[in-house]
């Protein structure tokens, strides 16, 4: 049988980002058989259905969904779900994963950002065999490239995307010609970054450190305006108030004093950091609205001569951020769906002594027979539910603790 008559491989594609569509389109051009596309991403599902491909959702029932389906390779492309051994056992020839980092040095999550935080000079992408462990299978294809000056997480991810498409074409050729040459990973050079691992002090800048280091942190945490940043945002904190910052550059300044604001203009805040000046810009409030440098200064009570971020317990901030991060996605989604309830006797106009303003707290006093503060709160919430005729709602609760 000639090479042109050799049957092309078949596969199942799994993933959650647009790279899967690019890789899938390449396979269709090469006349591969795609038995299923595993995703719940709307764009990927729409693409697969437009190509006439079968689609199923990831999750605990994936092995059952693919049971009885014959295919050669399971190809995991930007798939963040850990696959069970039952799923990995389904392909007749093996399972392959794309990782957006050079293994074994950068295994785990958000590795482009970690590489920039560490000041790496080189980066890359890897296609590797999938095993029961995370990112520890033998390397099949790896593409490396230098990290340019001024690189951000956004630009580095873009470079990874381009390298991934090039590397996937090589991988497809190797699979078609049975020319794989797996290379074992050197465990001594392995670093792993866990899903909920985050930068020190939740990304709050430390002006006692060199300006170049702070600028690198800002670039590493810059995911661009068009993309979600689920990792961490660079921040400036002053007097308990927070501003996000997405751009920074270094200016030589022999007279700079660490943490002191030297100038506020349209270019940003000029702040002493180490022995140079750090120019910060791209400000925003914690809720996402953009701020000009002047608006950010007003919001944080900052002026020329202000010393920033003094007295922050960075170790405590790091620990509290690590404790909160695992629940962050749940609460972000939950807080988007708040359903407030109308408070009784709220004033409809200012100066009404018999009423209450919309923002004035309602203080719950002890009740006869109440066993605890929780008991008082529960009774009041039941009262609100009955007079409003609702069974679910949200309130803000504050206590002295």
């Amino acid at each position: 049988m000639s090479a042109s008559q050799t049957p092309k491989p078949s596969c199942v594609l799994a993933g959650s980002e647009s790279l899967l569509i690019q890789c899938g389109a390449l396979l269709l051009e090469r006349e591969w058989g795609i038995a299923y596309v595993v995703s719940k991403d709307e764009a990927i599902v729409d693409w697969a259905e437009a190509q006439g491909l079968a689609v199923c959702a990831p999750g605990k029932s994936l092995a059952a969904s693919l049971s009885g389906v014959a295919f050669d390779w399971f190809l995991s492309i930007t798939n963040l779900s850990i696959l069970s051994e039952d799923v990995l056992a389904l392909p007749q020839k093996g399972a392959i994963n794309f990782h957006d980092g050079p293994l074994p040095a950068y295994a785990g999550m958000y590795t482009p950002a970690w590489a920039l935080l560490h000041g790496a000079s080189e980066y890359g992408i890897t296609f590797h065999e999938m095993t029961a462990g995370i990112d520890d299978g033998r390397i099949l294809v790896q593409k490396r490239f230098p990290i340019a000056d001024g690189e951000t997480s956004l630009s580095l991810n873009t470079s990874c995307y381009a390298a991934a498409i090039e590397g996937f074409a090589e991988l497809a050729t190797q699979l078609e010609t049975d020319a794989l040459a797996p290379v074992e990973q050197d465990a001594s050079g392995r670093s792993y970054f866990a899903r909920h691992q985050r930068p020190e002090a939740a990304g709050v800048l430390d002006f006692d450190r060199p300006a170049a280091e702070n600028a690198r942190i800002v670039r590493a945490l810059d995911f661009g305006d068009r993309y979600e940043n689920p990792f961490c945002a660079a921040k400036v904190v002053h007097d308990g108030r927070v501003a996000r910052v997405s751009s920074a550059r270094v200016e030589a300044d022999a007279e700079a004093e660490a943490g002191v604001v030297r100038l506020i203009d349209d270019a940003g805040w000029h702040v002493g950091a180490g022995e140079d000046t750090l120019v910060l810009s791209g400000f925003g409030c914690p809720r996402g609205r953009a701020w000009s440098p002047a608006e950010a200064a007003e919001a944080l009570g900052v002026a020329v001569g202000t010393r920033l971020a003094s007295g922050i317990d960075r170790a405590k901030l790091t620990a509290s951020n690590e404790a909160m991060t695992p629940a962050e996605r749940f609460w972000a989604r939950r807080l988007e769906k708040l359903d407030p309830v109308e408070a009784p006797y709220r004033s409809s106009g200012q100066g009404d002594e018999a009423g209450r303003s919309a923002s004035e707290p309602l203080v719950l006093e002890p009740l006869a027979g109440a066993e605890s503060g929780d008991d008082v709160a529960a009774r009041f919430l039941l009262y609100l539910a009955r007079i409003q005729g609702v069974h679910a709602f949200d309130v803000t609760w504050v206590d002295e603790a």
Side-chain angles (χ1 to χ4, degrees):
M1 181 179 292
S2 68
S4 61
Q5 296 173 310
T6 302
K8 292 298 179 72
S10 59
C11 69
V12 166
L13 281 174
S16 60
E17 297 179 11
S18 63
L19 180 61
L20 180 144
I21 296 176
Q22 298 296 322
C23 294
L26 183 146
L27 294 181
L28 291 177
E29 289 177 4
R30 299 173 75 127
E31 300 182 342
W32 277 52
I34 300 179
Y36 263 93
V37 174
V38 180
S39 184
K40 57 183 179 181
D41 180 88
E42 184 176 350
I44 292 175
V45 171
D46 289 347
W47 169 82
E49 292 178 345
Q51 304 302 315
L53 302 175
V55 179
C56 64
K60 295 181 180 179
S61 61
L62 180 57
S65 299
L66 298 178
S67 177
V69 179
F71 59 99
D72 296 319
W73 299 97
F74 189 101
L75 302 179
S76 172
I77 310 294
T78 60
N79 172 48
L80 301 182
S81 301
I82 297 177
L83 300 176
S84 68
E85 293 187 15
D86 290 344
V87 173
L88 296 180
L90 290 173
Q92 296 175 1
K93 294 186 177 181
I96 298 172
N97 181 58
F98 164 73
H99 178 66
D100 60 345
L103 295 175
Y106 284 93
M109 294 283 289
Y110 308 116
T111 50
W114 284 115
L116 292 177
L117 286 169
H118 293 162
S121 60
E122 184 184 62
Y123 200 64
I125 58 91
T126 308
F127 289 93
H128 64 93
E129 293 178 332
M130 296 187 75
T131 65
I134 299 176
D135 298 337
D136 63 358
R138 293 184 299 177
I139 294 172
L140 303 176
V141 172
Q142 188 168 88
K143 293 290 184 182
R144 290 178 175 267
F145 49 85
I147 294 178
D149 292 339
E151 200 90 70
T152 67
S153 274
L154 174 63
S155 63
L156 189 54
N157 273 296
T158 302
S159 297
C160 287
Y161 196 101
I165 294 174
E166 180 183 350
F168 188 75
E170 290 187 17
L171 177 68
T173 298
Q174 292 179 15
L175 296 177
E176 291 168 358
T177 59
D178 196 23
L180 290 177
V183 176
E184 295 285 351
Q185 293 191 41
D186 179 4
S188 66
R190 178 178 169 88
S191 295
Y192 177 75
F193 301 90
R195 177 184 295 269
H196 300 305
Q197 187 175 345
R198 293 295 183 270
E200 180 204 3
V204 174
L205 301 181
D206 182 355
F207 298 102
D208 288 329
R209 296 180 180 178
E213 182 178 332
N214 280 284
R216 187 172 69 239
I217 292 171
V218 174
R219 292 196 305 271
L221 302 184
D222 178 10
F223 283 56
D225 295 333
R226 295 178 56 192
Y227 299 97
E228 179 186 8
N229 177 358
F231 181 52
C232 185
K235 307 172 188 72
V236 175
V237 175
H238 180 68
D239 197 23
R241 287 168 285 184
V242 180
R244 296 179 297 107
V245 59
S246 61
S247 182
R249 60 183 175 85
V250 179
E251 286 184 347
D253 188 348
E255 298 181 0
E257 185 177 352
V260 175
V261 179
R262 296 177 57 78
L263 175 67
I264 298 174
D265 59 14
D266 291 342
W269 295 6
H270 301 245
V271 185
E275 297 179 354
D276 291 305
T277 290
L278 186 67
V279 183
L280 301 174
S281 58
F283 292 99
C285 77
R287 295 185 178 185
R289 186 172 68 86
W291 277 340
S292 69
E295 289 173 328
E298 182 180 1
L300 270 65
V302 171
V304 173
T306 299
R307 184 179 294 277
L308 297 173
S310 58
I312 292 177
D313 188 335
R314 298 182 65 84
K316 183 177 181 180
L317 187 53
T318 300
S320 62
N321 190 47
E322 288 179 354
M324 291 186 292
T325 294
E328 182 177 40
R329 182 169 292 273
F330 167 84
W331 282 110
R333 291 173 176 172
R334 180 66 183 85
L335 293 171
E336 288 177 346
K337 300 177 181 178
L338 289 181
D339 184 15
V341 66
E342 191 72 14
Y345 311 120
R346 193 180 73 175
S347 173
S348 59
Q350 304 224 356
D352 182 356
E353 295 183 359
R356 297 182 181 275
S357 72
S359 60
E360 182 181 349
L362 180 67
V363 180
L364 301 183
E365 300 292 349
L367 297 176
E371 296 181 357
S372 66
D374 288 347
D375 191 13
V376 176
R379 294 184 188 203
F380 179 67
L381 293 174
L382 284 170
Y383 164 68
L384 286 180
R386 288 173 180 171
I387 65 171
Q388 299 282 331
V390 296
H391 70 279
F393 55 89
D394 295 298
V395 297
T396 299
W397 169 260
V398 179
D399 62 25
E400 292 181 355

